Amino acid sequence: MVRMSRRGFLQGSAAATLGAHPWASFAESAGSRSLFVGTQTTKGSKGIYAYSFNSATGELTQTGLAVDADSPTYLALSPDKRVLFAANELDEFEGKKSGAVSSFAVDRKAVKLTKINEVAAGGPGTCHVSVDHTGRCAFAANYGGGSAASFAVDKTGKLSDAVSFFQYSGHGPKPQQTGPRGHRVTVSPDNKYLFVNDLGLDEIHIYHLDASTAKLTPQDPPAWKAEPGSGPRALQFHRNGKWAYCVNEVSSSVNVLDWNAQKGVFTTAQLISTVADGHTGPSAPSEIAIDKAGRFVYVANRLDDFMVSFSISPTDGKLTLMERTSCGGKTPRHIALDPTEKWLLVANQATDNLSVFARDSKTGKLANEGKSFPISRPQCIVFL
């Protein structure tokens, strides 16, 4: 197999260890939690790694390689946490131009993974995987192939071959948009729709989901359209199911979207920048996290490498900028709040480190300094 290399321009030097941060004493003592970290297997990394996280101190301890896997750059747990799915971000799989999707049985006690099976994703550069709320359907977005696919999942966690597959065509106005770029597959809160963020076409494709078969049928209208040159990359719903937040990689912005579940339609409510007025340097937002209370949004920005925090209006879901702070490294590819939400974890790809920042759950503010833990090419963080 040939590994995907489109992110080579974002990769950089080895990690620098950050000093212990000043908010450690504010962390809640809630014991240890296990997590998995997906990696890009291009520089010594071997697959998915297991960690123990101390939510009282913010310390991460690597407990070993959970499973050997080829570039498992995005991970998703089934609702019952018995199966982990991975997007294998490859250019070739089984002699064809395709990435892959893998499933693994989770041993929660040992924090180990056992491979169930692996199937072709239908297009190269498989960069995202998700699972529906029943655990019986999985989905993949193919960046290099500009496509998306759905898969049925049986009771053992085994993936079927693709049930539905969609190949997109066209391009956007920016150099990063020379073709379609599937980047995110997101299931609606009611499990009736699937959304595919297309960074290249400035669209979010919308499909009806038959959860009994994993079959996808295009909605009418078939897509929400972003402003030209936006590059919609990541999508996450608010806990109320009425608002969604779309991170735009190319224009360094976030769209607040109103979701009408009856009509299957997104309506743009707000467009807000992640960079300061007058900013002229490079910036490429990558990921979004929302706290469980639905009060705060966090966005990681690559190239200029910082975190941006927003507060959420409880009346209409619109965002207000709070602050921009350190991401603790370079090229923050993924972020995740720990289960206590006292900490924000950042996977910094180019500096080969995971950063941990204390978080004030009342104000939503992040510490300016964090703790740093080395790992080669971290891509995705998933708590068990």
Side-chain angles (χ1 to χ4, degrees), residues 5-13 40 89 143 176 183 233 249 282-286 301-305 329-333 347-352 377-379:
S5 60
R6 80 172 182 94
R7 294 184 176 84
F9 77 98
L10 292 171
Q11 297 173 353
S13 60
Q40 187 181 46
E89 192 164 350
Y143 181 90
Q176 305 97 311
H183 218 307
R233 174 188 173 103
E249 176 178 323
S283 178
S286 60
N301 278 254
R302 300 167 299 163
L303 302 183
D304 46 0
D305 302 318
K330 292 184 178 180
T331 315
R333 177 81 188 276
N348 290 305
Q349 175 180 317
T351 42
D352 298 325
R377 295 293 184 262
Q379 304 285 301

Side-chain angles (χ1 to χ4, degrees), residues 260-346:
N260 186 321
Q262 285 69 42
K263 295 182 179 180
V265 173
F266 282 123
T267 303
T268 303
Q270 183 187 24
L271 177 64
I272 186 169
S273 179
T274 64
V275 297
D277 292 342
H279 181 277
T280 57
S283 178
S286 60
E287 189 55 87
I288 183 171
I290 305 174
D291 70 328
K292 287 180 285 191
R295 297 177 59 217
F296 303 103
V297 163
Y298 304 93
V299 177
N301 278 254
R302 300 167 299 163
L303 302 183
D304 46 0
D305 302 318
F306 64 88
M307 295 295 308
V308 58
S309 303
F310 299 97
S311 62
I312 301 175
S313 166
T315 57
D316 59 13
K318 292 182 179 179
L319 301 179
T320 300
L321 175 69
M322 291 169 49
E323 59 182 357
R324 296 182 181 88
T325 55
S326 171
C327 68
K330 292 184 178 180
T331 315
R333 177 81 188 276
H334 190 253
I335 57 177
L337 291 164
D338 85 299
T340 71
E341 298 199 329
K342 293 289 186 179
W343 309 91
L344 180 78
L345 284 69
V346 185

